Amino acid sequence: QVQLAESGGTLVQAGGSLRLSCVASGLTFSFYSLGWFRQAPGKEREFVAAISGGGTMPIYADSVKGRFTISRDNAKNTVYLQMNSLKPEDTAVYYCAVDRLSLRKPPTPNSEGYRYWGQGTQVTVSS
């Protein structure tokens, strides 16, 4: 049974930084791309970033490129999202997700390509 647990979300001022973590269990972690998505109130879930199983080929949404960095530690079954220069429009619930397919390269930004999802962690950026 695959389980994902996000953490690190909190209230932060605009311009600040946060690092989100997502620990996975129940899978061969290094075989799968991992993605971060977010959903703001009243909006659809949107892609943020994704990284391939080996930790290469990160991809980013244009809205976060240059501010967010995705990384992973396969020894700890953990994927991270380092978020810098946060803006109020980054306020959302952030979810991590596991690709449906193993060994996919490069990772996909399409949410339909992800099978397992965490419960989410709230990030609130105040102006």
Side-chain angles (χ1 to χ4, degrees):
Q1 181 181 0
V2 177
Q3 293 185 321
L4 301 170
E6 302 97 335
S7 62
T10 190
L11 173 64
V12 63
Q13 288 190 332
S17 298
L18 277 179
R19 188 176 81 157
L20 305 183
S21 301
C22 174
V23 180
S25 60
L27 76 165
T28 305
F29 187 74
S30 62
F31 281 15
Y32 294 89
S33 296
L34 274 291
W36 284 99
F37 293 77
R38 66 187 182 186
Q39 187 166 18
K43 295 187 177 181
E44 294 189 352
R45 183 169 54 193
E46 64 174 358
F47 169 74
V48 175
I51 189 167
S52 61
T56 58
M57 302 185 185
I59 60 172
Y60 298 93
D62 288 343
S63 59
V64 307
K65 203 170 291 183
R67 300 188 298 122
F68 291 11
T69 302
I70 188 171
S71 62
R72 64 191 294 162
D73 185 339
N74 287 347
K76 296 182 178 179
N77 278 21
T78 302
V79 62
Y80 303 98
L81 185 67
Q82 177 67 44
M83 305 186 294
N84 299 329
S85 302
L86 283 161
K87 305 175 181 179
E89 50 263 44
D90 295 318
T91 295
V93 178
Y94 284 71
Y95 300 91
C96 65
V98 178
D99 199 332
R100 291 185 179 274
L101 303 178
S102 62
L103 305 177
R104 190 202 305 258
K105 289 183 179 181
T108 178
N110 186 345
S111 64
E112 295 298 319
Y114 293 83
R115 179 177 181 183
Y116 300 103
W117 295 80
Q119 293 300 307
T121 185
Q122 176 71 47
V123 173
T124 303
V125 184
S126 63
S127 57

